[in-house]
Amino acid sequence: MTRFRSAAGALLAALVLLSACSGYPRAASGPEGVAPNTSSESEQVMVMLAPAPPFVWTRATRELEQMYGLRTIYSWTLGSLGEQCVVFEVPRGRSAQDVLPRLASDPRVGSAQPIETYTTQAGEADPYAKLQHGAQTLRLEQAHRWATGKGVRVAVVDTGVDLDHPDLRGRIAVARNFVDRGEQTFTTDVHGTAVAGLIAASAGNEIGIVGVAPEAEIWALKACWQQPPGAREAVCNSYTLAKALDFAIVQKAQVLNMSLAGPKDPLLARLLGTALSRGIIVVAADGGDERHSFPASLDGVLGVLGSDDLKGGIQTPPGGKPTAALAAPAVDVLTTVPRGSYDFFSGSSMAAAQVAGVAALLLEKDPRLTPDRLAGLIRKTAHPIAGTGNPHTVSQVDACAALASVTGGECR
């Protein structure tokens, strides 16, 4: 294993010391406090139990197992909601869809739902800064006259991050793993490292690139795993994401970045609603069509499309119907990758990361900004992209203009 400097090594060691969840005993598969992802998700259901003492949750879980022939895969307390979440495995020969209606009508159950799958939205004074055309489009150099995101807590809900990357040293304040055996690849995960670099790569260190908010604090919350191993692409599911979101809410993150997209999910919607109600800014990548636009499509979330700032226009799949009205550069974006390297990426994952950085800049200047007010500032100062008026106009985010609206300064 690569030797890490003391700070990075301490963070990595913390990955195996996750706090145990109160309530039901540890899962049969996967380490305590870490949601497993090894079973077939098509044969699992997720149940929420209303606020109650732990012994009530334990009894209800066992009764549900016996009545419906289920097996508990994992159970934990969502501190932000005060409820217990239980993942059950459906018996072989039966489908989750057969069991869900019966569970939903059971008086012991608050809600029951399938486990959805989400995918990350990426494809293919600092020496590489001149290659960052997206930074020029966002007018970051001018914006950094007023703010660098200093001290703003940005939770990156993604894969793991290279904690010892030269451009990320000192930027990763928290590292947590919510995926079964995810600590094994945490520091070599590609997608989360790329996202973290776009948000907070150090400025003026004579190395690599500069992030949108180079003095922000990154919370690397691993809820996704690379698929296949070593790939840029990654997947997540309802309960790994739920654990990471709950942690971010309870620990009072200020910005939540979700560079991923998938179908609507009721539990994740509740958690994100709780985050927004507590003043946390939520930024998400738009998947480019209505079926894969969650959580970008959720009311209050800053959904972001990818733009081609070199040739113009936006990135959407053939026949796609994007729901987001904001965009940021997402074609051949240079960023950090594991083992101290750099590479070019494309996709709305990169766009969302940059807008999360812009949110951190704004919060540094005015920590009182609510999600609605901050979103309004970004939208008001963005520039319409030609040819995107059908069905709605998409606008390019302008970091300098957004900061100028808060500071009263001018972009030059």
Side-chain angles (χ1 to χ4, degrees):
M1 179 178 289
T2 304
R3 293 183 62 190
F4 298 99
R5 286 173 171 80
S6 58
L11 281 170
L12 182 59
L15 294 173
V16 297
L17 296 174
L18 298 174
S19 59
C21 298
S22 61
Y24 201 73
R26 66 183 280 183
S29 60
E32 187 173 11
V34 182
N37 63 280
T38 52
S39 300
S40 170
E41 291 164 19
S42 63
E43 298 176 353
Q44 295 175 8
V45 294
M46 189 158 62
V47 166
M48 296 299 297
L49 304 178
F55 77 88
V56 174
W57 288 332
T58 301
R59 183 179 62 202
T61 300
R62 290 172 178 165
E63 290 174 350
L64 292 171
E65 284 181 326
Q66 295 170 3
M67 177 168 288
Y68 301 104
L70 304 172
R71 183 172 75 91
T72 298
I73 296 295
Y74 190 71
S75 180
W76 77 96
T77 302
L78 287 171
S80 60
L81 300 179
E83 300 178 15
Q84 185 80 342
C85 185
V86 186
V87 177
F88 289 115
E89 184 176 63
V90 178
R92 185 172 297 178
R94 297 169 62 191
S95 71
Q97 294 304 320
D98 292 335
V99 178
L100 278 170
R102 297 175 61 195
L103 282 170
S105 62
D106 192 298
R108 290 164 294 197
V109 173
S111 64
Q113 67 172 78
I115 294 172
E116 305 290 3
T117 300
Y118 298 81
T119 57
T120 54
Q121 301 295 298
E124 293 277 335
D126 297 278
Y128 296 158
K130 61 186 178 183
L131 300 177
Q132 292 183 267
H133 55 84
Q136 298 168 33
T137 300
L138 293 172
R139 298 201 285 179
L140 289 184
E141 185 175 355
Q142 297 97 313
H144 287 167
R145 293 176 298 166
W146 298 309
T148 55
K150 186 173 183 178
V152 177
R153 304 180 296 277
V154 182
V156 175
V157 180
D158 210 290
T159 67
V161 173
D162 181 357
L163 305 176
D164 202 40
H165 193 290
D167 244 343
L168 292 173
R169 288 177 193 148
R171 301 272 55 83
I172 313 299
V174 175
R176 290 291 187 275
N177 170 49
F178 301 99
V179 176
D180 183 21
R181 295 184 295 278
E183 70 281 355
Q184 296 178 4
T185 64
F186 196 100
T187 59
T188 58
D189 286 351
V190 177
H191 193 271
T193 303
V195 167
L198 282 177
I199 297 173
S202 296
N205 59 351
E206 300 182 351
I207 298 173
I209 63 170
V210 57
V212 176
E215 292 192 288
E217 290 184 4
I218 294 294
W219 292 9
L221 308 184
K222 178 167 179 170
C224 309
W225 55 96
Q226 298 177 135
Q227 189 169 317
R232 293 185 174 202
E233 294 77 17
V235 297
C236 334
N237 65 32
S238 299
Y239 56 101
T240 57
L241 290 172
K243 282 188 65 67
L245 290 176
D246 185 59
F247 176 88
I249 295 167
V250 171
Q251 298 300 319
K252 299 181 180 180
Q254 292 170 274
V255 180
L256 266 171
N257 183 81
M258 301 183 74
S259 287
L260 51 91
K264 294 179 180 179
D265 184 285
L267 175 57
L268 298 183
R270 288 182 62 202
L271 285 165
L272 291 170
T274 298
L276 291 164
S277 71
R278 297 187 186 184
I280 300 173
I281 311 301
V282 183
V283 183
D286 191 307
D289 66 72
E290 294 174 343
R291 295 171 300 170
H292 298 90
S293 62
F294 181 88
S297 59
L298 190 67
D299 188 36
V301 172
L302 266 171
V304 187
L305 286 164
S307 67
D308 187 341
D309 57 317
L310 297 175
K311 297 181 180 179
I314 57 174
Q315 279 195 317
T316 57
K321 295 181 179 179
T323 60
L326 287 173
V331 176
D332 292 337
V333 178
L334 184 64
T335 187
T336 48
V337 292
R339 300 181 179 89
S341 299
Y342 301 83
D343 206 346
F344 292 94
F345 284 72
S346 297
S348 58
S349 277
M350 307 301 113
Q354 291 170 90
V355 174
V358 174
L361 298 180
L362 290 167
L363 285 177
E364 181 195 344
K365 295 308 296 181
D366 187 355
R368 299 168 299 174
L369 285 172
T370 65
D372 284 344
R373 286 182 58 206
L374 186 142
L377 283 173
I378 291 178
R379 293 188 180 110
K380 182 179 179 180
T381 55
H383 309 292
I385 298 175
T388 61
N390 188 15
H392 62 267
T393 298
V394 178
S395 297
Q396 181 87 23
V397 172
D398 185 330
C400 182
L403 264 294
S405 69
V406 174
T407 64
E410 295 183 3
C411 293
R412 299 188 298 274

